[in-house]
Amino acid sequence: MKQAYSIFTLVRNALSYHQDWQEAWRSPEPKREYDVLIIGGGGHGLATAYYLAKEHGITNVAVLEKGWLGGGNTGRNTTIVRSNYLWDESAHLYEHSLKLFEGLSQDLNYNVMFSQRGLMNLCHTEHDMQATRRRVYAIQMNGIDSEMLTREQVQEMVPILDCSPKARYPVLGASLQRRGGVARHDAVAWGLARKADERGVDIIQNCEVTGFDIVNGVVKGVQTTRGAIGAKKIGIVVAGHSGVMAGLAGFRLPVESHPLQALVSEPIKPILNTVVMSPQVHVYVSQSDKGELVLGAGIDAFTSYAQAGSPPVIENQLNALTDLYPCFSRLRMLRQWGGIVDTCPDASPIIGKTPVENLFINCGWGTGGFKATPGSGNVFAHTIARGEPHPLAVPFALERFTTGYLIDEHGAAGVAH
Amino acid sequence: MFVINCPYCGPRDEHEFGYGHEAHIARPTLEQQGTMSDAEWANYLFLRTNTKGVHFERWVHTKGCRRWFNVARHTVTHEILKVYKMGEPKPDISAENLPR
């Protein structure tokens, strides 16, 4: 049993100079065989393992991570959480995740610093206003909070935004999801890992999958850099490397991997208390608790596995930033990085079965996976445990690319996150 | 960031170019289209190799001559190994025989 994190444990450990903290998770040697193997120790993989143990009683589970826990996109994103999606299928899935986020700190006994500070999508043209209004109404019809703001309301909430009629990108209004916000991405991974470990899940880091053992179309286990590991069922949750894993298992996916860049500024005093996205001029910004501005934009156009993008993307994003917020023009940027995201043609994820029996996949989250972390793990755990997709995951099956039932979220998802 | 050697204009900065994704995906002929299954359509329209290694892809010199061509590029190092014209066969370059 893990010792519960609380003010009392903090005080007790302070008395022993913080030398006696219990380890958050073990680092066991891999067993020869498991009931379920999860490939990928990012947020989605850890959430899958956690919910397998918590909700389905499957605890003979290992999470295989080729690097270190949460060291991929989980630690590289801009931490935005929202559920303001246009189509019913996406709205229900992302709302499921947002609701789990709302109780996650209590559930995990780990402060994931989920801050529902509101999330705004700016409109710069009359067409923007119409499309956004349509989306807001669709979201409201699904019972999810969303509202339109006038230019004056936007200016009141974000005084530093250039809302003047002479602005390079005039602001006509915005949509607002008050329950949207940000969470501490590392804490999500660490909290999930700690609780999954408590329930018996083996988290095995520095263990790269190099091949699948497939007999007559049924997966029996994997080859790894730490030896062969057998499993009754296997889930692939590897984001940018989904295509590589699928290749090892002998099938192809409708995904392409691209770099997605983000950057943070030097820390400044509190100046922005909400998340502001501009899908049209393409920059999104929030301020972290440390005071840094966290900035993101779109993917680099080319296929890449390099975890680094090209400067023109950054330049466009910073041009947009300084046009919208003139007061940021003299800010210095501290760090810039790239992650590899697996993008789908319809900007929606793939959750479900693969052509190989007992091999499941959860991928294609593209540029917006962080917000879905608990929801994705929750429905994927159900899908693996039952062998049938969770009702929320049914529309996101790989077959949709054959049936043509695409969930085209480019309007809500493909442009900005 | 990389420089692409346009076969028509010479070496130019990457930002002058547009990306055309995977190359050598043959559009089905009219006869094939009449008999293709949904799975074959999915294969043509959506499924991609998404190579980690040498990737064969199309680029267009949008801010230059506006002509299309093919590029063999390594998706980890971004090194461009070969630029060749549309319609030419896929060159024999694989990750294994790359000069180190």
Side-chain angles (χ1 to χ4, degrees):
Chain A
M1 199 58 193
K2 296 259 188 274
Q3 60 185 192
Y5 288 159
S6 71
I7 183 72
F8 305 108
T9 1
L10 185 64
V11 170
R12 197 162 55 243
N13 279 285
L15 294 174
S16 56
Y17 298 97
H18 298 293
Q19 296 300 304
D20 300 325
W21 281 102
Q22 192 182 36
E23 63 182 0
W25 55 83
R26 300 161 292 132
S27 294
E29 281 300 309
K31 289 190 262 184
R32 299 285 293 277
E33 187 159 5
Y34 289 91
D35 289 342
V36 177
L37 274 184
I38 302 296
I39 304 173
H44 290 229
L46 293 165
T48 307
Y50 170 64
Y51 288 112
L52 273 173
K54 186 190 174 209
E55 296 192 349
H56 304 281
I58 301 173
T59 55
N60 187 21
V61 176
V63 177
L64 307 182
E65 166 56 48
K66 79 169 173 183
W68 67 94
L69 193 143
N73 295 347
T74 303
R76 287 166 182 269
N77 61 76
T78 48
T79 78
I80 294 169
V81 179
R82 62 184 177 94
S83 65
N84 54 351
Y85 278 73
L86 173 64
W87 301 112
D88 296 352
E89 295 87 351
S90 330
H92 294 147
L93 181 64
Y94 290 103
E95 178 63 10
H96 180 55
S97 189
L98 179 54
K99 283 188 173 145
L100 287 171
F101 255 116
E102 286 174 333
L104 201 60
S105 290
Q106 280 71 31
D107 190 27
L108 297 178
N109 176 229
Y110 204 106
N111 186 3
V112 300
M113 297 165 76
F114 182 43
S115 160
Q116 292 177 292
R117 57 184 68 178
L119 178 138
M120 210 183 268
N121 277 64
L122 299 178
C123 307
H124 301 289
T125 65
E126 201 45 56
H127 298 93
D128 245 3
M129 286 292 279
Q130 289 170 9
T132 305
R133 222 175 266 131
R134 177 202 176 199
R135 191 176 315 147
V136 163
Y137 296 151
I139 294 162
Q140 288 174 347
M141 296 277 280
N142 276 317
I144 299 168
D145 81 294
S146 190
E147 60 196 272
M148 286 300 294
L149 298 181
T150 63
R151 187 169 68 103
E152 290 69 31
Q153 288 170 309
V154 173
Q155 184 77 87
E156 199 187 329
M157 278 187 73
V158 190
I160 55 171
L161 188 65
D162 185 0
C163 293
S164 68
K166 284 184 172 173
R168 170 70 181 83
Y169 303 111
V171 174
L172 302 190
S175 70
L176 175 70
Q177 184 176 28
R178 291 189 190 273
R179 288 163 61 241
V182 292
R184 172 92 198 277
H185 48 6
D186 296 322
V188 172
W190 297 335
L192 285 166
R194 176 168 167 268
K195 274 292 171 184
D197 177 87
E198 181 183 275
R199 290 176 184 267
V201 172
D202 283 358
I203 294 164
I204 299 161
Q205 302 180 70
N206 299 310
C207 179
E208 184 176 354
V209 170
T210 54
F212 289 89
D213 297 327
I214 297 169
V215 183
N216 297 327
V218 184
V219 74
K220 300 288 183 191
V222 292
Q223 298 294 328
T224 77
T225 49
R226 293 175 70 173
I229 306 174
K232 298 193 179 81
K233 292 175 179 177
I234 298 177
I236 302 173
V237 202
V238 297
H241 278 68
S242 297
V244 176
M245 281 295 128
L248 290 177
F251 61 96
R252 296 205 301 166
L253 289 171
V255 298
E256 275 193 329
S257 297
H258 292 269
L260 177 64
Q261 304 185 68
L263 62 167
V264 294
S265 74
E266 58 189 333
I268 49 175
K269 286 183 179 176
I271 194 166
L272 185 63
N273 63 358
T274 184
V275 184
V276 187
M277 315 177 48
S278 169
Q280 280 286 324
V281 248
H282 219 169
V283 66
Y284 45 94
V285 56
S286 63
Q287 190 172 18
S288 75
D289 295 339
K290 283 187 283 183
E292 303 154 330
L293 295 184
V294 184
L295 302 161
I299 55 173
D300 282 68
F302 51 81
T303 307
S304 171
Y305 288 86
Q307 291 192 324
S310 292
V313 175
I314 297 288
E315 191 181 349
N316 288 341
Q317 169 179 351
L318 293 181
N319 281 342
L321 181 82
T322 49
D323 279 327
L324 290 171
Y325 312 86
C327 71
F328 289 158
S329 64
R330 281 172 293 163
L331 265 188
R332 281 185 269 271
M333 294 298 148
L334 272 193
R335 300 192 305 279
Q336 168 270 338
W337 64 92
I340 300 302
V341 297
D342 45 333
T343 57
C344 267
D346 58 355
S348 285
I350 299 166
I351 311 168
K353 299 179 181 184
T354 70
V356 181
E357 205 170 322
N358 292 342
L359 182 63
F360 301 83
I361 195 157
N362 182 354
C363 71
W365 292 93
T367 55
F370 176 71
K371 69 175 84 70
T373 303
S376 154
N378 188 274
V379 300
F380 194 46
H382 178 110
T383 304
I384 293 175
R386 309 279 177 92
E388 288 300 323
H390 185 285
L392 290 177
V394 171
F396 295 94
L398 187 52
E399 288 82 56
R400 75 174 186 270
F401 296 96
T402 308
T403 61
Y405 196 94
L406 302 187
I407 305 162
D408 185 358
E409 283 292 358
H410 280 286
V415 182
H417 292 270
Chain B
M1 188 106 186
F2 37 86
V3 170
I4 299 174
N5 193 5
C6 172
Y8 307 100
C9 310
R12 300 292 179 88
D13 188 275
E14 169 209 329
H15 85 270
E16 290 190 13
F17 297 85
Y19 189 59
H21 300 264
E22 189 173 338
H24 305 293
I25 298 174
R27 185 181 172 83
T29 63
L30 273 178
E31 293 82 68
Q32 287 170 327
Q33 287 176 27
T35 58
M36 275 168 71
S37 67
D38 288 351
E40 285 166 332
W41 274 113
N43 190 49
Y44 164 66
L45 288 170
F46 300 123
L47 298 193
R48 296 294 177 259
T49 57
N50 198 22
T51 315
K52 184 177 184 179
V54 181
H55 190 242
F56 301 94
E57 57 196 20
R58 303 173 302 179
W59 287 82
V60 57
H61 195 179
T62 317
K63 294 170 187 168
C65 61
R66 297 167 68 189
R67 293 175 79 172
W68 286 87
F69 55 91
N70 290 321
V71 170
R73 183 180 59 91
H74 199 289
T75 55
V76 179
T77 62
H78 293 174
E79 184 185 2
I80 291 176
L81 301 153
K82 194 170 171 67
V83 176
Y84 56 105
K85 292 185 179 175
M86 299 303 283
E88 287 181 17
K90 192 188 279 191
D92 181 27
I93 309 169
S94 65
E96 287 75 41
N97 61 24
L98 276 184
R100 283 283 156 212

